[in-house]
Amino acid sequence: MSPRIQALRPAAAPLAGLGMLVALMVLEERSFDSASAVLVALTAAVAAAELVPVPAIVFAFAALGFQAFGIFPSVMLSDATPYVCLPVLFFFATLGWKEPQRWPLPVAAVTAAGLVTVNWFADTAWINFVFGKQLTEASPFRIAVYAFLVFASFSALNLAGWAAAASVRQAVANRMAKEQAESRLESTAGALVIEQERNRIARELHDVLAHSLAVITAQAEGIRYVHRTEPELVEEAANVIASSARSALQETRRLVQSFGSELEGPAPGTSELPALAERLESSGMPVELHTAGLEGLSPVEDLTVYRIVQESLTNAFKHGDREAGAVVTVAREPRGLRLKIRSRLADGGTELPPSGTGRGIPGMRERATAAGGRLTTVTNGQLFEVEAILP
């Protein structure tokens, strides 16, 4: 409902009541006199129906009751036109109804039709005018049939007013529910995007820092043992530490600055696999690298291959037999791009210990799945193998 219509809605019932009062008095060519009592009462009830539905209905019932008991002018004097206010009354009363139970409104509509029927047949002059003089001589059955027709007609009119308002209420409620659902959906979608972005950065940071810190730790531990006996190796180890730390810092800065936007700067890819293998070899773990058919990879595939190989080698470096090294094979096959990283577990181990963050192997599986592929791990004795297929 538009704001303009919402602003005009409180004035709808009073304007409808006033309009009906003027229109019906013009049609009946009447003035404000005692014969207009029922008309004035019913149009007043219409004017107040949406604001105070229960008092308005009670007021209308009182007017109909006064007419039935002869306090208000009979139907012959007041005419039948005031009763057209009743469907309008139930329309606005239904719009303004705040109670959870809705059944009193249709019951009241049918009851009002019964009161109108009583008023019609209580006024002999009016009923003879409508149905003819023969009604006074008709059988009780015919009178009952005529009474039922009058009752059914007014019931249908009153219930039509109630049903129309109920449909309007339901349409407004559906529209509001739809708008709320769309608002919640937009909010949820925004939260999901933020969460996905956080998970992406967390996964990238894990891969970057886990590898770099493993290399730095290994080199630092090596310096402790060789700085006296082989001082010439200290500078080489220090260069590896500086290079790894610098690379991790650049990657971390790139990821943090990219939050909520596209990544800035080039992401690592398969072209850096030899440098990755060289850093690990300088830290004491031989890496045998075999690559073929890597031309034409998309940026997502290029990064996925690099990260899976990086994480697999980092796990092998941290938890496996470093001296046995690792064999990396990346090749194009008919099924797609196959990655296979084979290493040996440390002596006495039969399975790869999980990383402290829990993002190692699960993170690799997420990357493979996001690229449309799959990743599996196999442990056979001390042999540990990571295999991924990227279509």
Side-chain angles (χ1 to χ4, degrees):
M1 187 177 295
S2 65
R4 181 176 297 179
I5 295 177
Q6 186 70 27
L8 294 176
R9 178 174 170 177
L15 290 176
L18 179 61
M20 294 187 72
L21 176 62
V22 174
L24 294 178
M25 294 194 74
V26 170
L27 288 174
E28 294 297 326
E29 297 181 353
R30 65 169 72 244
S31 58
F32 286 100
D33 52 25
S34 60
S36 305
V38 177
L39 174 61
V40 174
L42 293 183
T43 52
V46 169
E50 187 170 4
L51 183 61
V52 282
V54 175
I57 293 175
V58 171
F59 186 75
F61 274 34
L64 296 176
F66 290 160
Q67 188 179 43
F69 285 101
I71 300 175
F72 277 4
S74 63
V75 182
M76 192 67 186
L77 295 178
S78 61
D79 203 71
T81 53
Y83 301 126
V84 302
C85 295
L86 291 174
V88 182
L89 167 66
F90 286 108
F91 176 84
F92 285 108
T94 303
L95 290 182
W97 191 262
K98 300 296 190 299
E99 300 298 327
Q101 297 83 7
R102 303 293 171 82
W103 60 266
L105 288 169
V107 170
V110 174
T111 304
L115 285 174
V116 173
T117 304
V118 170
N119 290 344
W120 274 40
F121 282 84
D123 189 347
T124 306
W126 169 254
I127 207 66
N128 287 334
F129 172 76
V130 174
F131 293 103
K133 297 290 186 180
Q134 71 273 15
L135 190 63
T136 56
E137 302 173 358
S139 65
F141 177 75
R142 175 173 292 185
I143 295 175
V145 170
Y146 286 156
F148 175 76
L149 291 176
V150 173
F151 171 74
S153 299
F154 279 103
S155 294
L157 288 173
N158 294 345
L159 289 174
W162 165 77
S167 299
V168 171
R169 282 178 62 105
Q170 188 61 45
V172 172
N174 291 343
R175 182 179 180 85
M176 293 180 61
K178 180 182 177 181
E179 291 176 352
Q180 291 175 356
E182 290 175 349
S183 177
R184 287 195 297 267
L185 181 61
E186 291 178 0
S187 177
T188 302
L192 180 60
V193 169
I194 293 175
E195 185 64 24
Q196 289 175 337
E197 184 75 359
R198 288 173 176 169
N199 289 337
R200 179 184 67 84
I201 291 179
R203 186 169 60 243
E204 293 283 339
L205 283 176
H206 168 267
D207 293 347
V208 171
L209 297 180
H211 170 75
S212 299
L213 292 178
V215 172
I216 290 172
T217 301
Q219 293 290 342
E221 289 177 348
I223 290 176
R224 293 169 55 194
Y225 298 102
V226 303
H227 73 283
R228 291 189 178 89
T229 59
E230 301 178 75
E232 67 278 2
L233 297 179
V234 173
E235 184 176 355
E236 181 181 348
N239 289 334
V240 173
I241 291 175
S243 175
S244 298
R246 189 181 303 109
S247 174
L249 182 61
Q250 291 173 349
E251 283 285 301
T252 301
R253 183 182 294 113
R254 183 178 68 90
L255 291 170
V256 172
Q257 289 177 348
S258 72
F259 185 74
S261 61
E262 295 295 328
L263 286 174
E264 297 180 359
T270 53
S271 61
E272 298 186 27
L273 289 178
L276 175 66
E278 184 179 348
R279 282 199 299 269
L280 291 170
E281 286 178 351
S282 67
S283 300
M285 188 180 82
V287 177
E288 187 176 337
L289 182 63
H290 304 281
T291 60
L294 302 184
E295 299 81 9
L297 293 180
S298 68
V300 173
E301 291 174 331
D302 204 31
L303 177 62
T304 300
V305 171
Y306 179 83
R307 290 302 190 203
I308 291 177
V309 173
Q310 181 188 48
E311 179 63 24
S312 299
L313 292 179
T314 301
N315 283 339
F317 184 83
K318 292 168 61 178
H319 307 297
D321 185 351
R322 295 183 187 177
E323 294 182 358
V327 179
V328 178
T329 304
V330 184
R332 178 77 65 179
E333 295 183 355
R335 291 190 301 168
L337 197 64
R338 177 189 290 271
L339 289 73
K340 185 178 290 186
I341 303 93
R342 183 177 301 170
S343 61
R344 291 183 60 83
L345 300 176
D347 292 339
T350 57
E351 62 179 7
L352 188 69
S355 60
T357 62
R359 293 184 178 272
I361 294 176
M364 290 192 291
R365 286 200 180 99
E366 290 177 8
R367 286 186 181 279
T369 302
R374 59 185 177 85
L375 181 142
T376 58
T377 59
V378 177
T379 303
N380 184 9
Q382 286 189 299
L383 181 65
F384 185 79
E385 187 175 280
V386 176
E387 183 176 9
I389 299 292
L390 303 179

